[in-house]
Amino acid sequence: MNGLGIRIRLFLKLWFTSLYAVLIMLLIPITALVIYSQGTYTVEDLASMVYEEVVPIWFILILQWCLSIDIDSKFHLQMMTYPISRWQFLLERLFISTVIFIGLLSVVSFALSPFMGAFAWQSIAFAVPMYITFAGFIMAGTVFTNHSVGGLLLGILFWMSYEFGEILLGNLNVILLKYGSVYTFVNGETQFFAETNHWILYNRLFYMGIGVLFIGLAIWKTNRKTV
């Protein structure tokens, strides 16, 4: 655990001293200005825009950055000399990137809380399966192409597919928070397992399953690699 703590502190130090991180963090006030300039929004519209459309881009860039440090430099090929197994290495990078991502997301959610109340935090919980899907695509794309650009492209392609294919996806649509029925579900105004909510639960389980599947594929591929 001490080794993990040291590596987390090292990555956080690298993050806060890198130009890449500064540029990503600048997206927060820039995004806020763009949203503010577009006019007023309902709570559900704002939550959908932030947590389902904008925030995933941050996660894509952060996870790609964490993986690129070892993968792109080929330093991960020395894995057999690490006091850590290959699957642990991959999940550790996911954990570190999640810590950074949740930190930024918390800043945004605290800023939105006066307007959105508890729905800001409820929206994060609702979007977790989608974030898991992004993690799966980015990790699998990185491992199978042996470069973080592969994960970056796969993550962006997934984002583009649901961003521009909203009508075609139907019940598998990722952008849901802006709909009234989903708002009442997330806000706890209807029973969790009510029949009218089944399609929402299936939607979340589908994306969580896809994400876990691709994370599993990335781990399987990593464990099969030889130097």
Side-chain angles (χ1 to χ4, degrees), residues 61-74:
L61 296 175
I62 292 170
L63 182 52
Q64 184 264 338
W65 175 81
C66 279
L67 292 173
S68 69
I69 293 176
D70 294 297
I71 302 293
D72 295 354
S73 66
K74 309 303 179 186

Side-chain angles (χ1 to χ4, degrees), residues 107-128:
V107 172
V108 173
S109 298
F110 275 118
L112 290 175
S113 291
F115 175 68
M116 297 177 59
F119 192 69
W121 305 98
Q122 293 166 339
S123 298
I124 296 176
F126 182 77
V128 164

Side-chain angles (χ1 to χ4, degrees), residues 90-149:
L90 204 58
L91 291 183
E92 186 178 282
R93 296 301 178 268
L94 173 61
F95 175 73
I96 292 172
S97 63
T98 301
V99 169
I100 297 172
F101 174 64
I102 292 299
L104 292 176
L105 198 53
S106 296
V107 172
V108 173
S109 298
F110 275 118
L112 290 175
S113 291
F115 175 68
M116 297 177 59
F119 192 69
W121 305 98
Q122 293 166 339
S123 298
I124 296 176
F126 182 77
V128 164
M130 178 185 63
Y131 301 150
I132 294 175
T133 305
F134 276 107
F137 284 147
I138 297 165
M139 291 171 66
T142 298
V143 170
F144 277 87
T145 62
N146 209 29
H147 201 285
S148 66
V149 172

Side-chain angles (χ1 to χ4, degrees), residues 9 16 25 54 57 66 70 73 82 91 100 115-116 119 133 145 151 154 166 171 191-193 210 216:
R9 289 197 295 272
F16 286 110
M25 288 189 285
V54 176
I57 294 295
C66 279
D70 294 297
S73 66
Y82 286 19
L91 291 183
I100 297 172
F115 175 68
M116 297 177 59
F119 192 69
T133 305
T145 62
L154 195 56
E166 184 177 348
N171 284 347
Q191 292 186 350
F192 190 81
F193 292 107
I210 292 294

